[in-house]
Amino acid sequence: ADQNLLGYFATLTPRAQNSTSGPGFTPEPAFSLPGGVYTNSSLILTLTGPPEATIRYTVNGTVPTNTSPVYSGAITFTTNLTIKARAYPSTAGLWPSPVVARSFILLDPSAANFSSELPVLIISTEGRAILENVLAGGQRTKGSLVVFDTIRGRSSLRDPPHFLGLADFEIFGQTSAGWLKKPHNIEIQDELGNDKAVSLLGMPAEADWKVRNPFSDKFLMGDFLGHELFEKMGHYSLRRKYVEVF
């Protein structure tokens, strides 16, 4: 919460979350480009907002506040970027707009034509190192998650992603965190950093996901097969998919 914002809501929401848009709120800023996966070497992004409003933005995954940088012109970038923007009114009696976020993934030419018989995930932290074994309440590394499911038996980074959204990432495990292929916790989030349950690869909607790496399982099937057989014996077993990860 931004403690510098004080006022009254135009719409009452008893026993429910306060409104973040609608009457009494500034309209949200618009992006000149949709978020997505691009093969361009660079992109130019412009933001437009309502008249007499100031757009403030962040590129580090945090929520914009009234002390965040002011948008003043086109933004050119050559690497992955997640930008969150919010319009702040100059008119008294209005709240700032909803936070709007877009993620842009710029594929390296060597990966642009990659395809697989498995679904593909892209974990993008925009150059930030993924922290290990974060304590409860600690801040995980912010970034974006992209998911390409298979279509007619193959996935391709050239296809529209089945999911592209904000996420926090963490490497977990005492021993396995030191392996070359590291396991990751993934928490999918909304623009405000709250958990956001989504369905991935046909599995039930959830905000928290794990990418496991049985690195010592050299034939890459033991862990998966154990869950599969346990389920076939009539027991509950976690849902699972083989994936490739960038």
Side-chain angles (χ1 to χ4, degrees), residues 8 11 98 212 219 237 243:
Y8 298 94
T11 303
R212 278 186 44 77
F219 65 105
S237 185
V243 296

Side-chain angles (χ1 to χ4, degrees), residues 23-89:
F25 288 84
T26 305
E28 64 188 38
F31 288 68
S32 62
L33 296 172
V37 179
Y38 290 82
T39 57
N40 308 55
S41 59
S42 65
L43 292 174
I44 300 176
L45 176 70
T46 58
L47 306 177
T48 54
E52 312 223 347
T54 300
I55 299 176
R56 296 183 179 272
Y57 71 97
T58 62
V59 294
N60 62 358
T62 60
V63 174
T65 68
N66 55 9
T67 60
S68 298
V70 174
Y71 171 77
S72 59
I75 300 171
T76 300
F77 54 98
T78 58
T79 60
N80 294 356
L81 179 75
T82 295
I83 180 168
K84 293 184 178 183
R86 194 177 200 183
Y88 282 80

Side-chain angles (χ1 to χ4, degrees), residues 119-122 145-150 161-167 169 186-189 196-211 239-243:
V120 175
L121 311 184
I122 298 177
L145 175 69
V146 190
V147 179
F148 296 89
D149 203 351
T150 54
H162 289 78
F163 174 78
L164 168 59
L166 307 173
F169 303 99
I186 301 174
E187 181 183 276
I188 298 174
Q189 297 182 338
K196 181 179 180 180
V198 298
S199 173
L200 300 178
L201 303 177
M203 291 181 278
E206 178 56 71
D208 296 300
W209 300 81
K210 287 185 181 289
V211 178
R239 294 171 176 87
R240 59 223 163 262
K241 289 278 188 177
Y242 275 119
V243 296

Side-chain angles (χ1 to χ4, degrees), residues 65-239:
T65 68
N66 55 9
T67 60
S68 298
V70 174
Y71 171 77
S72 59
I75 300 171
T76 300
F77 54 98
T78 58
T79 60
N80 294 356
L81 179 75
T82 295
I83 180 168
K84 293 184 178 183
R86 194 177 200 183
Y88 282 80
S90 57
T91 304
L94 286 178
W95 290 100
S97 75
V99 176
V100 185
R102 297 288 185 274
S103 294
F104 302 90
I105 310 297
L106 304 187
L107 291 179
D108 186 88
S110 64
N113 295 312
F114 182 84
S115 68
S116 173
E117 294 179 350
L118 299 176
V120 175
L121 311 184
I122 298 177
I123 294 175
S124 171
T125 60
E126 295 140 30
R128 294 181 286 269
I130 300 179
L131 301 177
E132 295 183 11
N133 297 315
V134 178
L135 296 176
Q139 183 62 62
R140 294 171 172 170
T141 303
K142 293 189 175 296
S144 300
L145 175 69
V146 190
V147 179
F148 296 89
D149 203 351
T150 54
I151 300 175
R152 293 185 293 278
R154 293 199 72 84
S155 62
S156 170
L157 299 186
R158 293 278 189 170
D159 290 333
H162 289 78
F163 174 78
L164 168 59
L166 307 173
D168 275 3
F169 303 99
E170 169 196 12
I171 296 170
F172 71 91
Q174 188 168 23
T175 301
S176 54
W179 293 342
L180 294 176
K181 189 198 299 182
K182 302 178 186 299
H184 290 77
N185 286 324
I186 301 174
E187 181 183 276
I188 298 174
Q189 297 182 338
D190 63 15
E191 291 82 356
L192 298 176
N194 301 314
D195 285 11
K196 181 179 180 180
V198 298
S199 173
L200 300 178
L201 303 177
M203 291 181 278
E206 178 56 71
D208 296 300
W209 300 81
K210 287 185 181 289
V211 178
R212 278 186 44 77
N213 69 323
F215 188 71
S216 57
D217 178 4
K218 297 308 180 183
F219 65 105
L220 305 178
M221 293 179 60
D223 191 67
F224 189 96
L225 187 59
H227 289 293
E228 190 93 351
L229 294 175
F230 191 67
E231 184 176 70
K232 289 185 180 299
M233 287 188 285
H235 304 290
Y236 169 80
S237 185
L238 56 86
R239 294 171 176 87

